[in-house]
Amino acid sequence: MVAQIQLIDWQEAGRSLSARWRSEAGLPLPADVEIGGDRLGAEDVWAVLVAGRHLLWRGDWVHARHLLQALTRRADRHFAAARGQPETLPGEAFARHRQRQGERAALLGRLLVPVNGNYKLPLRRAQDVRQACCEAWGEPDGAASLVSLRELLAVVSAHEWRKKGVPVPAVQGRIHPHYGVFSPVRGEYVDLVAQAPLPVDGTLAFDIGTGSGVLAAVLARRGVAHVVATDQDSRALACARENVERLGFAAQVEVIAADLFPAGRAPLVVCNPPWLPAQPSAPIEYAVYDPDSRMLRGFLSGLAAHLAPGGEGWLIISDLAEHLGLRSRQQLLDWIAVAGLVVRGRLDTTPRHGKASDRGDPLHAARAAEITSLWRLGAAPAVG
């Protein structure tokens, strides 16, 4: 999803200047911009940022990166100290955690850097970020931009991950995530799809909300003859097509634009929706947060109509939302029943990521109890 074009105006060296404001993180348009460079230390810049002002960096690129590291450490201490007493309800802990994350991101996002119309950085010792920017923003159009240094470094990091790829044993290769597309770094949900018993009819499967294409690739690797993978995000569609082609599954996997289901019915329909029913604070967060469980409920309500007779739907989802008090197990079971579905079985696994054992994490209790499940769903038998 491409951010709406906004222009930012500021005064510099007695001149009125203007540039495009880039922020897919959803940061507001800066209203108060100061100019700074190498003479400023972390203490000076911190004072500007906490006052709610933005600082446009005109100094050395390497110095700017080191400065952001120092500011990040300072922000971590600042927001850790602001936690206060632990909340009594998991939902409160989650709400406060997201609030602090947003405040931290907004503060650190006030350190800005310029980007020329060809995606070159007009700073001393600047690295070449042109390819990374092309992958995230599209081809340059000659318009100069201002962007948060933190967000630009995320663009660069995404470019490096895209080059290197994420090893996924279940596909016997690597998945190369694009900027803005969820990366399959949590392998437990991929392993569930690799291990679940396939339906006898292996001619066709649907992968709903394919993202990077990893689950479609797993199904193809397991021998499903034809996989239709859907998504409505242009970056995800491009990412999935590139990955299935790179892995040698282009003849088996068809990637199409669709809001949830393609036309027709399949013996197997798979979906790994965002796990937390919360409002994203930026478009890039839609892979993590599912407002009002829209995608989850849409998948369940439409599944029976897209299953072939005797077919099976696989819902891959964590119960983290239940431990955070955002959704109950009974609510999920009610949605399944109302959709005319029955549970045929369930495969469970525990998380392997570091946060599950990090007692310093404000959501540690919920993360430590988390279970990721593959729910095997079928159409309920007709009554009468």
Side-chain angles (χ1 to χ4, degrees):
M1 186 177 295
V2 178
Q4 183 180 0
I5 293 177
Q6 295 179 296
L7 294 179
I8 175 173
D9 302 308
W10 74 98
Q11 297 291 319
E12 184 173 354
R15 296 181 298 160
S16 296
L17 300 178
S18 179
R20 175 183 295 171
W21 171 238
R22 292 190 182 273
S23 179
E24 294 194 49
L27 298 178
L29 186 71
D32 188 357
V33 178
E34 298 185 12
I35 311 301
D38 295 326
R39 292 185 178 181
L40 297 179
E43 188 76 29
D44 304 311
V45 177
W46 177 260
V48 173
L49 304 189
V50 296
R53 301 190 299 274
H54 293 72
L55 190 138
L56 173 57
W57 186 258
R58 292 296 191 184
D60 180 81
W61 168 254
V62 176
H63 185 178
R65 295 189 63 157
H66 291 162
L67 180 64
L68 182 61
Q69 292 173 356
L71 293 169
T72 300
R73 291 192 294 269
R74 188 181 292 257
D76 288 342
R77 294 193 299 270
H78 174 79
F79 288 102
R83 286 176 186 166
Q85 296 299 315
E87 295 81 1
T88 56
L89 298 175
E92 289 182 10
F94 176 70
R96 297 279 180 85
H97 174 64
R98 289 206 70 204
Q99 180 182 357
R100 284 191 291 264
Q101 281 185 317
E103 292 171 352
R104 177 181 178 276
L107 189 152
L108 294 173
R110 294 178 192 137
L111 178 58
L112 313 179
V113 291
V115 181
N116 284 347
N118 59 359
Y119 294 154
K120 285 188 176 181
L121 299 177
L123 302 174
R124 292 189 306 277
R125 291 199 291 171
Q127 71 184 100
D128 188 348
V129 300
R130 288 175 295 178
Q131 184 60 37
C133 291
C134 282
E135 291 170 355
W137 301 334
E139 292 298 319
D141 59 8
S145 305
L146 297 189
V147 63
S148 156
L149 172 58
R150 188 167 180 260
E151 188 165 327
L152 181 59
L153 292 177
V155 168
V156 173
S157 177
H159 168 66
E160 295 302 321
W161 274 109
R162 180 170 175 171
K163 285 195 304 182
K164 181 171 61 174
V166 177
V168 179
V171 300
Q172 299 178 25
R174 291 175 176 266
I175 293 293
H176 296 259
H178 291 196
Y179 179 73
V181 179
F182 188 75
S183 175
V185 291
R186 287 190 57 169
E188 62 264 24
Y189 78 94
V190 179
D191 291 342
L192 286 174
V193 175
Q195 297 163 5
L198 286 170
V200 175
D201 185 350
T203 58
L204 176 64
F206 296 160
D207 175 23
I208 309 303
T210 191
S212 67
V214 61
L215 298 186
V218 170
L219 296 173
R221 173 66 67 186
R222 295 192 64 186
V224 176
H226 185 206
V227 181
V228 180
T230 71
D231 212 294
Q232 58 181 347
D233 181 81
S234 58
R235 284 174 173 156
L237 292 167
C239 181
R241 289 182 181 122
E242 180 182 296
N243 280 311
V244 297
E245 182 173 357
R246 189 192 298 264
L247 291 166
F249 300 133
Q252 283 173 264
V253 179
E254 178 186 6
V255 181
I256 66 172
D259 184 1
L260 297 177
F261 299 94
R265 297 172 178 262
L268 177 62
V269 182
V270 176
C271 183
N272 173 37
W275 292 348
L276 294 176
Q279 184 65 40
S281 59
I284 203 167
E285 291 186 342
Y286 273 93
V288 179
Y289 299 113
D290 185 15
D292 197 29
S293 299
R294 173 197 172 273
M295 184 174 179
L296 170 59
R297 292 186 295 111
F299 170 71
L300 293 174
S301 64
L303 177 58
H306 289 87
L307 281 177
E312 196 162 280
W314 291 357
L315 171 65
I316 302 97
I317 196 165
S318 154
D319 66 355
L320 182 62
E322 298 173 21
H323 296 296
L324 292 173
L326 304 177
R327 181 176 59 231
S328 70
R329 174 59 56 93
Q330 189 58 52
Q331 191 173 30
L332 175 60
L333 294 174
D334 288 345
W335 289 341
I336 291 172
V338 168
L341 303 168
V342 294
V343 178
R344 293 181 177 172
R346 198 179 76 218
L347 302 178
D348 296 334
T349 188
T350 54
R352 300 192 292 264
H353 59 84
K355 287 186 177 180
S357 56
D358 180 7
R359 295 186 175 275
D361 188 289
L363 305 180
H364 169 71
R367 296 192 197 278
E370 180 185 9
I371 298 292
T372 301
S373 301
L374 184 153
W375 294 75
R376 297 174 53 216
L377 307 174
V383 178

